[in-house]
Amino acid sequence: MPVFPLLHRAHDYEFLIKRWKALTKREGLTLRPFAQSGEHPVYFLDSRAGEPRTTNRERCLYISAGVHGDEAAPPWGLLEWAEENAGLLKAHRFLIFPCLNPNGLINNTRVDHRGVDINRTFHDLKEPVIAAWRALVEPHRASLALCLHEDYDGQGIYVYELNQKPEVVGHRILEDCAKIIPLDLRTKIDTSTADRGLINRKRLPKDMPGLPEAIVLYQMGVPISLTFESPSEFSLLERIAVQKQFIVSSLHHALDL
Ligand SMILES: [Zn+2]
């Protein structure tokens, strides 16, 4: 008898959305398409849809995954987190984008169906997906934004933190996550200086051709914007587990949830 390895439908966008739809239906929530990317609808969940927009006093959490399609763990980590935290999902307003680049996920590419890295287009309202994204996000005052990514050069986990306050939360979050996948201890990651897995961004990197999601969210007034990176050459199941832990620990350390 052949022994089959544990199969994961990591790049099956339809299956991902099917599970999101099952979850939202079960919980009385609505996952809805908000834009079209090539042949595929792109989906969005507002866990308090139909209620007035969020004011400064309420908690509103932004989480997205699947901006880069060759980074497969984040969409599944986000889905599993939501499946296991339906109560929390309904207790606060969550703005969730389960997979912003469907073609990328399906084809295992960083770029979308046109060959564009959408994480350099978040400033550009001529981009139809971005314009529709912005119209959904901008009316709310999110307290925290989590952008979930992976790095094929990554030697462990790390995080980019944009924080209006001088203190950082990233180290405490990373400490929890490092129980699953160790920290990337490089002192220079890409072109940024890193300290035990934390890149504390105080200004925009030079020569950036267009703006990423996390920076645009920060510019829109989100006080803490965290971009998490897991190493995409590590085991998929551990990467999914660490992405899930990142969400749990971010909500806990940044917002006491
Ligand atoms: Zn990425």
Side-chain angles (χ1 to χ4, degrees):
M1 273 281 284
V3 177
F4 294 101
L6 188 57
L7 295 175
H8 196 287
R9 298 163 74 174
H11 292 277
D12 189 340
Y13 180 65
E14 226 173 278
F15 182 53
L16 178 83
I17 295 305
K18 200 172 149 190
R19 283 201 20 204
W20 269 104
K21 283 185 177 165
L23 164 67
T24 48
K25 192 174 174 198
R26 203 158 59 230
E27 300 300 333
L29 303 169
T30 311
L31 184 76
R32 66 179 182 90
F34 75 95
Q36 189 76 14
S37 175
E39 293 172 3
H40 301 282
V42 193
Y43 289 91
F44 167 66
L45 168 66
D46 175 353
S47 67
R48 288 286 177 91
E51 293 183 23
R53 69 193 181 91
T54 321
T55 67
N56 282 334
R57 280 172 291 112
E58 295 161 322
R59 289 214 170 98
C60 173
L61 304 312
Y62 174 99
I63 315 179
S64 82
V67 162
H68 293 140
D70 55 342
E71 304 169 8
W76 300 99
L78 175 54
L79 169 69
E80 284 190 16
W81 170 83
E83 287 174 339
E84 291 166 21
N85 290 277
L88 193 59
L89 205 56
K90 290 193 285 186
H92 303 278
R93 171 166 255 143
F94 280 86
L95 308 176
I96 293 182
F97 293 87
C99 181
L100 278 164
N101 176 8
N103 279 276
L105 186 72
I106 293 162
N107 296 311
N108 195 16
T109 57
R110 180 177 176 87
V111 294
D112 72 0
H113 58 292
R114 305 162 302 170
V116 172
D117 178 351
I118 63 165
N119 212 26
R120 296 293 177 269
T121 67
F122 275 82
H123 60 288
D124 188 354
L125 296 179
K126 292 194 292 301
E127 287 281 324
V129 174
I130 300 303
W133 168 86
R134 190 150 182 146
L136 293 171
V137 177
E138 206 158 35
H140 302 286
R141 183 58 63 223
S143 343
L144 175 68
L146 306 179
C147 304
L148 308 177
H149 284 258
E150 297 201 279
D151 178 359
Y152 60 82
D153 287 326
Q155 298 174 10
I157 52 166
Y158 62 93
V159 68
Y160 292 92
E161 175 160 350
L162 288 158
N163 196 328
Q164 284 178 358
K165 294 193 177 143
E167 64 260 29
V168 291
V169 291
H171 284 305
R172 280 179 286 155
I173 298 165
L174 285 169
E175 200 179 302
D176 294 349
C177 295
K179 291 172 186 145
I180 301 169
I181 292 181
L183 301 178
D184 189 326
L185 293 172
R186 288 176 290 167
T187 52
K188 195 138 206 151
I189 297 179
D190 266 340
T191 53
S192 309
T193 304
D195 168 32
R196 291 163 293 137
L198 182 74
I199 299 164
N200 186 8
R201 269 192 170 154
K202 286 294 168 223
R203 69 186 93 82
L204 277 185
K206 280 179 260 142
D207 67 24
M208 201 163 238
L211 291 182
E213 180 189 18
I215 291 178
V216 171
L217 286 162
Y218 190 65
Q219 288 177 339
M220 282 161 64
V222 180
I224 306 176
S225 164
L226 302 172
T227 302
F228 184 56
E229 304 271 354
S230 54
S232 59
E233 294 296 305
F234 284 43
S235 132
L236 176 64
L237 298 185
E238 281 176 10
R239 285 151 48 208
I240 291 172
V242 85
Q243 291 281 343
K244 205 159 55 166
Q245 183 64 52
F246 174 76
I247 300 171
V248 170
S249 295
S250 296
L251 298 180
H252 177 63
H253 293 298
L255 297 176
D256 249 342
L257 288 182

